[in-house]
Amino acid sequence: MFKGILINKDEQGYHAALQDIDDGVLPEGDVSVNVLYSTLNYKDGLAITGKAPVVRAFPMIPGIDLVGIVEQSNSKQFHVGDVVIQNGFGVGENHCGGLAQKARLKSEWLIPLPAAFTPKQSMIIGTAGYTAMLCVTALEKNGVLPDQGEILVTGANGGVGSFAISILAKLGYTVVASTGRMEEASYLKTLGASDIIHRDTLSNPGKPLAKERWAGVIDSVGSHTLVNACASTKYGGTVTACGLAQGMDFPASVAPFILRGITLAGIDSVMRPIADRKEAWQRLGEILKSDDFDNIAQEINLEQVIEAAGNLLNGQVRGRIVVNVQAN
C-alpha cells in the first residue's frame, strides 16, 4: 500500500480523495518508480475537480508530471537507482500518474533526470517549464530574434507564463506580460518582464487586424486572447499556442495570416517525441540557474493537493506548485 490521490466515478458521482492505494491499481509498465515529487498543472486541476472530462479511465491517480527513483525495471534503458522524469503521454489521464508515492510506467515515456537539476527543481519546471521552452524554440526556429521587437506572454502569472518570461529574458528578448493580477507586477518584473498589461486589453472581442506590436507571442489562454494576439502581431511574426485557460474556441479572421503572413504554431507537450523532450530539457539546463527557482514555486504535500487544485483553477496560484509526495 502507498499514499496517493485517487479519482473515482460511481453512482454517487465524481470524487477525488487522498487514500491508501493498493499496488494492484497501478497499470502495466516495464519500470516501477518510487516517486519523489510531482506537480499541479492546469490539467491536473481539471482532473481532480472534475470540471472537465480529462480523466479517461477510473480509478485514476492524477499527475501528469513526476520525478522518482527506479525501484524495478524490465527495460535495458533504465536500471534500479536511476532517477527519471515523466511528462505527459497521457499519464494522469488514462494511465495512473505522479500524485502518489508509487508509479508504474512505460520506459519509452521516461528520460533521465538532467544533471543540471535536482529532483525538486525538475518538477518546479515540470510540464509548464518544458512547454515554455518548446514555445521559445518554436519562435527561434521561425526566425523571431531578440532585436525584432516585443514578445507577448499571456497568462503570465501561471507556470508556462512564468517560465516563458524567465527564459525569454535570459535570451535577450523584450517581454511584455499579460495578466489579470496586476498586483503581481513586481513578481513578473523580477522574472524579466519589461512591461505589464492587463488581460482585459486582450480578452474581449476585437478587430480582425489591430496595430502591429508583437514580434512573437507565447499564449496559454486561447479564445479571444489568442485571436487578439494574432491580430496585433507584426508582419512575419510567430504566435505559439499551448493552452486554453480562457477557452478552446478561436473566433478569428484569416486577415493576420494572409495580409501579414504570421504563423500560428501549435505546441503540444503531451505526445512530443523523446528527442524533442531531451533537447528542451538540455536547453533548460543551459539557460536556468539555481536562483531562478527561488520565487517561482511553492511546495505542498499530498494532503494539500485537492484544495490547491481548486485554487489553481480559480486563478489564485502564482507560478508553480511542486508536490512532495513523500512528505507528511
Side-chain angles (χ1 to χ4, degrees):
M1 303 289 284
F2 57 92
K3 290 190 179 298
I5 305 296
L6 195 66
I7 301 172
N8 273 292
K9 187 177 183 181
D10 54 29
E11 57 273 11
Q12 278 77 46
Y14 184 103
H15 47 92
L18 173 61
Q19 61 188 76
D20 291 327
I21 302 173
D22 186 89
D23 190 74
V25 169
L26 297 178
E28 292 184 0
D30 56 347
V31 178
S32 295
V33 176
N34 181 32
V35 181
L36 300 175
Y37 292 94
S38 185
T39 66
L40 267 184
N41 297 280
Y42 192 79
K43 186 179 287 186
D44 299 319
L46 294 174
I48 291 166
T49 62
K51 290 189 176 180
V54 170
V55 176
R56 310 294 184 184
F58 299 91
M60 177 59 58
I61 299 170
I64 65 174
D65 292 331
L66 67 85
V67 62
I69 301 170
V70 174
E71 60 179 15
Q72 185 177 350
S73 176
N74 294 320
S75 166
K76 294 180 180 179
Q77 290 180 281
F78 299 102
H79 304 92
V80 174
D82 288 349
V83 184
V84 294
I85 295 174
Q86 158 75 48
N87 304 114
F89 285 116
V91 170
E93 301 173 69
N94 51 40
H95 188 106
C96 286
L99 286 169
Q101 294 173 334
K102 302 286 183 182
R104 188 177 298 130
L105 305 158
K106 295 184 179 181
S107 56
E108 57 263 35
W109 297 343
L110 303 173
I111 65 171
L113 174 70
F117 303 120
T118 67
K120 181 178 177 179
Q121 288 171 341
S122 76
M123 286 298 99
I124 294 175
I125 296 169
T127 288
Y130 146 66
T131 301
M133 190 69 250
L134 293 175
C135 290
V136 173
T137 300
L139 294 180
E140 292 174 329
K141 289 182 177 179
N142 280 314
V144 179
L145 302 175
D147 62 1
Q148 292 177 342
E150 297 172 313
I151 307 298
L152 171 68
V153 175
T154 68
N157 273 300
V160 173
S162 293
F163 272 106
I165 293 167
S166 181
I167 293 165
L168 287 165
K170 288 179 179 297
L171 293 174
Y173 290 88
T174 302
V175 185
V176 176
S178 168
T179 180
R181 288 181 283 164
M182 297 300 285
E183 68 274 13
E184 298 287 2
S186 60
Y187 163 73
L188 297 173
K189 289 190 174 182
T190 298
L191 294 178
S194 62
D195 193 13
I196 318 293
I197 62 173
H198 198 282
R199 68 183 177 197
D200 287 351
T201 63
L202 297 166
S203 61
N204 297 309
K207 298 178 180 179
L209 283 177
K211 183 179 179 180
E212 295 181 58
R213 180 170 181 180
W214 319 119
V217 177
I218 294 179
D219 176 67
S220 60
V221 178
S223 192
H224 291 291
T225 297
L226 177 57
V227 172
N228 289 322
C230 290
S232 50
T233 295
K234 291 181 177 181
Y235 189 93
T238 294
V239 177
T240 61
C242 65
L244 43 71
Q246 186 180 4
M248 290 184 66
D249 59 325
F250 185 55
S253 163
V254 298
F257 305 100
I258 64 174
L259 298 179
R260 291 184 180 161
I262 75 163
T263 297
L264 178 58
I267 304 298
D268 168 60
S269 61
V270 176
M271 303 305 295
R272 200 77 175 202
I274 288 291
D276 290 355
R277 294 167 184 263
K278 289 182 176 179
E279 177 188 359
W281 279 97
Q282 179 181 343
R283 291 206 65 202
L284 286 164
E286 294 166 354
I287 295 168
L288 298 176
K289 307 304 177 187
S290 58
D291 58 359
D292 294 323
F293 301 95
D294 293 343
N295 298 318
I296 210 166
Q298 58 177 296
E299 180 178 322
I300 65 173
N301 59 31
L302 284 171
E303 291 183 352
Q304 298 168 293
V305 162
I306 294 176
E307 179 181 0
N311 294 338
L312 179 63
L313 294 191
N314 290 330
Q316 298 170 338
V317 172
R318 184 182 82 178
R320 297 282 289 147
I321 297 178
V322 60
V323 184
N324 184 340
V325 302
Q326 299 294 338
N328 295 321

